[in-house]
Amino acid sequence: MKTGIVRRIDELGRIVIPKEIRRSLRIKEGDNLEILIDNESIILKKYSVIKNLNEFAQNITDAIHSFITNSVLITDTNSILAVSGPLKKELLNKTIGIDLESKIKRREEMLEKHKKPLKITDSELECTYAVSPIIVAGDVIGLVMIISKENVEDTDLKLTKIAAKFLANHLEM
């Protein structure tokens, strides 16, 4: 997809990415961009520290799911990277919804034991859940979440905390 927007480079080598493009690509202040060169083109791409660990993240969700029946998922700040359990087909590789974006923004760790509607993706799901942010070098880079259409327990929150801390420690190495 090509656009016809032209921007001038300032004396420090900076350019401004138009608001419409940032909004459509969900690029927010503080997001990291990867800069790639392809022949004579410069490509700016949203960068996800955790995205490079898809297989590792999937192994973590599989391991947790082997002990519980609920769905387990790991996200970055934009999409769902790994899912194990009943909701895998429904959620894997989907863009996160506004409720998960909000939890990332607020660094929210919580256990919701009463069924509530939650926008995990574009669609809403009536569920209970446990969620913990993955924090690396002071920045939230994603979430670990356990979701149930029935009920979650205090141990589910502990599992999300352990997985989030494990991923954060792995990424800081």
Side-chain angles (χ1 to χ4, degrees), residues 3 6-7 9-10 28 32 45 49 72 76 83 99 101 121 123 131 142 147 150 154 157 166 173:
T3 60
V6 176
R7 290 289 190 251
I9 297 176
D10 72 10
K28 298 175 279 313
N32 291 313
K45 188 176 171 185
V49 176
V72 183
D76 63 9
V83 183
D99 290 339
E101 267 187 35
T121 60
S123 57
V131 63
I147 304 165
E150 299 305 315
D154 294 335
L157 181 60
F166 184 76
M173 293 168 82

Side-chain angles (χ1 to χ4, degrees), residues 97-170:
I98 57 171
D99 290 339
L100 295 191
E101 267 187 35
S102 171
K103 290 181 184 329
I104 288 171
K105 204 176 282 182
R106 292 186 310 215
R107 302 167 165 256
E108 196 167 58
E109 180 179 281
M110 74 179 298
L111 178 66
E112 182 55 65
K113 290 186 174 185
H114 303 287
K115 276 190 180 182
K116 286 191 174 175
L118 183 71
K119 279 204 163 244
I120 297 169
T121 60
D122 287 342
S123 57
E124 201 168 72
L125 181 65
E126 186 88 14
C127 62
T128 61
Y129 58 90
V131 63
S132 293
I134 304 165
I135 301 173
V136 176
D139 294 324
V140 178
I141 61 160
L143 298 171
V144 177
M145 190 169 198
I146 295 176
I147 304 165
S148 175
K149 292 184 179 177
E150 299 305 315
N151 63 327
V152 290
E153 304 295 330
D154 294 335
T155 54
D156 292 321
L157 181 60
K158 289 178 184 173
L159 285 170
T160 64
K161 287 179 182 183
I162 291 166
K165 185 66 174 163
F166 184 76
L167 278 163
N169 288 345
H170 183 77

Side-chain angles (χ1 to χ4, degrees), residues 22-155:
R22 288 182 310 205
R23 188 180 304 126
S24 69
L25 295 177
R26 299 172 71 154
I27 297 171
K28 298 175 279 313
E29 183 181 329
D31 283 353
N32 291 313
L33 296 178
E34 185 175 9
I35 303 169
L36 307 164
I37 298 172
D38 183 17
N39 295 323
E40 292 185 18
S41 298
I42 298 171
I43 300 167
L44 299 176
K45 188 176 171 185
K46 275 188 86 168
Y47 180 72
S48 168
V49 176
I50 199 170
K51 195 169 201 149
N52 299 327
L53 300 175
N54 277 11
E55 188 176 329
F56 185 65
Q58 188 61 54
N59 288 339
I60 292 171
T61 62
D62 289 344
I64 295 170
H65 181 64
S66 69
F67 291 99
I68 63 173
T69 57
N70 298 333
S71 291
V72 183
L73 63 92
I74 295 174
T75 76
D76 63 9
T77 57
N78 196 53
S79 58
I80 300 170
L81 305 176
V83 183
S84 295
L87 296 173
K88 184 171 185 168
K89 287 182 183 178
E90 213 174 305
L91 300 177
L92 188 60
N93 297 320
K94 297 278 173 48
T95 301
I96 63 171
I98 57 171
D99 290 339
L100 295 191
E101 267 187 35
S102 171
K103 290 181 184 329
I104 288 171
K105 204 176 282 182
R106 292 186 310 215
R107 302 167 165 256
E108 196 167 58
E109 180 179 281
M110 74 179 298
L111 178 66
E112 182 55 65
K113 290 186 174 185
H114 303 287
K115 276 190 180 182
K116 286 191 174 175
L118 183 71
K119 279 204 163 244
I120 297 169
T121 60
D122 287 342
S123 57
E124 201 168 72
L125 181 65
E126 186 88 14
C127 62
T128 61
Y129 58 90
V131 63
S132 293
I134 304 165
I135 301 173
V136 176
D139 294 324
V140 178
I141 61 160
L143 298 171
V144 177
M145 190 169 198
I146 295 176
I147 304 165
S148 175
K149 292 184 179 177
E150 299 305 315
N151 63 327
V152 290
E153 304 295 330
D154 294 335
T155 54

